[in-house]
Amino acid sequence: MGFPLPPAMRRALDLAAEAAAAGEVPVGAVVTRGGEIVAEGRNRMRAGSDPTAHAEMVALRAAAAALGTSRLDDCSLWVSLEPCAMCAGAIALARIKELRFAAEDPKGGAVVNGPRLFAQPTCHHRPDVLGGIGEEEAAAMLRHFFAERR
């Protein structure tokens, strides 16, 4: 028996399941400040005909609106999948303090895979990054989602 997931990651995984149920790629994201959830999001690209409506982008936009600032430097982002280049760029621009993610994304990830955006000299903000939190559940959800579509 493993350790229970932090509540924010549990919520991100639940949001990912909601995305899958709606026909979206199962990714969920939660922004916390001081341990409290201030915003959340799930993939909504198909529903909104918006290629930028990734879970992280939805959550970051909601957090900025809720807190009245584009600088989220005292916030953490919890996401069920390693962010892509677009989302990693937004995380850096928002000055997110900590990034916590579940499953790595070898094909589309941009944090520990691919371009490794936060390691680039042109990236002016680097959050503290920790992956693998809830990885098995997130990876299984993604495998199931894509297996159903093949």
Side-chain angles (χ1 to χ4, degrees):
M1 179 187 287
F3 294 100
L5 289 173
M9 185 58 79
R10 174 76 266 144
R11 181 64 184 141
L13 290 166
D14 291 345
L15 287 162
E18 289 178 19
E24 302 275 2
V25 174
V27 181
V30 170
V31 177
T32 61
R33 182 171 72 170
E36 299 294 320
I37 294 175
V38 295
E40 59 185 38
R42 64 171 178 81
N43 273 0
R44 296 182 180 278
M45 296 171 297
R46 293 178 67 167
S49 300
D50 180 357
T52 70
H54 290 198
E56 300 95 323
M57 300 296 284
V58 173
L60 290 171
R61 288 177 185 137
L67 298 174
T69 180
S70 63
R71 295 269 178 129
L72 305 175
D73 52 1
D74 57 349
C75 295
S76 300
L77 178 65
W78 300 77
V79 62
S80 60
L81 184 64
E82 175 186 354
C84 70
M86 173 184 69
C87 294
I91 290 164
L93 291 171
R95 306 290 199 267
I96 287 289
K97 178 181 173 182
E98 301 171 324
L99 170 63
R100 305 294 184 244
F101 67 89
E104 287 188 19
D105 186 354
K107 291 182 181 179
V111 177
V112 298
N113 288 288
R116 297 182 176 149
L117 188 115
F118 302 133
Q120 300 305 312
T122 54
C123 183
H124 300 296
H125 175 78
R126 294 165 182 83
D128 179 63
V129 176
L130 181 62
I133 306 166
E135 180 175 17
E136 290 178 22
E137 182 177 343
M141 196 181 320
L142 287 157
R143 279 192 305 274
H144 178 74
F145 178 83
F146 288 112
E148 284 188 335
R149 279 144 187 82
R150 289 189 179 113

